[in-house]
Amino acid sequence: MLWSGSSPLTAARAGMWGFLMFAGAAWLVVGWSVLRLEPTDLARVAGPIVLFGAVCEGLRALAGTRTWWLNAVLTVLFAATGTVMLLSDDTGWTTTASLIGWYLLVRGAVDVAVGIMTRGVDRVWSLVVTVGVLETALGFLAASPLARGAQTIVVILGALGVLRAIADLVTALRLREIAAKGRDLLELPPERATGLTGYSAGHADYEGPKHRARQGATESFHDQVVRTTADLDRMLAEAGITGPRVPKKKAPDIQDLPPAPDTLEGIENAAAPEKSAGGH
């Protein structure tokens, strides 16, 4: 929770921390300046202070947090409240005190609710909850019959400036911390950057058009068998492996062959033993 309704894990635009730092410093100036006001100037100053609070809510919404929509709603609500305070012709401090109390009650309730909801994801949640409780208490005081004097309203406005300054300054510092961590994660050592470049180049070659064309080409089963066999023969040849050699049969010796008969009687005599063997 970077501020009311914000989580450090969901901040999308860490560059907003500078604007919130400026807003926190401005709230400190507001808290110090209102203590020097004359009672007659109170009604003219309270409206711009609430409008400045609406601007700060708009900055939080632009930071892109998980609850940006809540900050956007508060922006519209506080802008309407400040406009009503500027257009009011009440010569006393009743309307001014009640609208300041309204602003503090809403702002404090949101801080307390969202701070408790995000207590498991941010280490400063208790600080924001404390700020919300104090704002809610000031809101009750401003809206109560006790705040009918100008001096009381001036003190409430001064306390409002200090509390909002604390909340915005803490928010700005947390956003800056997250931005620094993000840069450290994105910067790789030289050797890892070189390895990542080589991996990216190899992946691009693997996913190139030639590889995709080869994968997408359709071939018959016969073509697949022929291609696989050719690849296997090529790999075996590269490895220096050849097929088994078939031993040559020894030619029979001429002396072991029976003599060839030259006459018809010799042929009949050669066939006679075969017949006698068949008779047995």
Side-chain angles (χ1 to χ4, degrees):
M1 182 180 59
L2 298 176
W3 54 80
S4 59
S6 304
S7 171
L9 300 178
T10 58
R13 298 181 183 178
M16 298 297 295
W17 72 269
F19 294 99
L20 290 173
M21 182 73 73
F22 173 79
W27 275 118
L28 284 177
V29 174
V30 169
W32 176 80
S33 300
V34 295
L35 297 177
R36 314 295 299 175
L37 289 177
E38 295 294 334
T40 55
D41 299 330
L42 183 60
R44 295 196 303 267
V45 173
I49 290 176
V50 176
L51 288 177
F52 180 69
V55 173
C56 294
E57 295 299 329
L59 291 177
R60 295 189 183 94
L62 292 177
T65 59
R66 184 170 52 187
T67 55
W68 65 269
W69 58 271
L70 181 58
N71 297 118
V73 171
L74 293 179
T75 300
V76 177
L77 186 62
F78 294 157
T81 303
T83 303
V84 171
M85 295 175 69
L86 289 176
L87 298 179
S88 177
D89 56 354
D90 187 8
T91 57
W93 300 289
T94 304
T95 303
T96 302
S98 61
L99 291 178
I100 291 175
W102 159 257
Y103 171 81
L104 287 168
L105 283 174
V106 174
R107 180 70 269 178
V110 170
D111 284 340
V112 172
V114 182
I116 294 176
M117 182 182 66
T118 57
R119 64 184 181 276
V121 296
D122 190 60
R123 64 177 182 270
V124 297
W125 69 272
S126 58
L127 175 62
V128 181
V129 170
T130 303
V131 171
V133 170
L134 294 176
E135 288 175 340
T136 305
L138 286 176
F140 273 109
L141 178 61
S144 67
L146 299 177
R148 290 295 181 264
Q151 301 298 331
T152 305
I153 300 175
V154 167
V155 173
I156 292 174
L157 281 177
L160 165 64
V162 174
L163 292 176
R164 295 315 305 160
I166 294 174
D168 286 346
L169 289 175
V170 171
T171 297
L173 294 176
R174 294 287 286 127
L175 279 175
R176 185 175 182 273
E177 179 183 358
I178 293 171
K181 289 182 179 180
R183 287 193 297 268
D184 293 340
L185 291 176
L186 293 177
E187 293 179 359
L188 296 176
E191 60 275 7
R192 292 191 177 183
T194 304
L196 181 60
T197 303
Y199 172 78
S200 301
H203 184 71
D205 294 340
Y206 179 79
E207 295 294 338
K210 293 183 179 180
H211 182 78
R212 289 195 298 267
R214 183 176 179 181
Q215 287 182 338
T218 58
E219 54 183 358
S220 62
F221 177 75
H222 175 73
D223 295 336
Q224 292 180 2
V225 172
V226 172
R227 178 173 55 81
T228 304
T229 305
D231 293 341
L232 181 59
D233 292 341
R234 178 178 53 80
M235 289 187 291
L236 291 175
E238 292 177 356
I241 301 175
T242 58
R245 295 183 179 180
V246 179
K248 296 182 179 180
K249 293 183 179 181
K250 184 178 180 181
D253 192 359
I254 299 177
Q255 297 179 357
D256 296 336
L257 296 177
D262 296 335
T263 61
L264 182 60
E265 291 80 2
I267 296 175
E268 293 177 353
N269 293 333
E274 295 179 0
K275 292 181 179 180
S276 60
H280 289 291

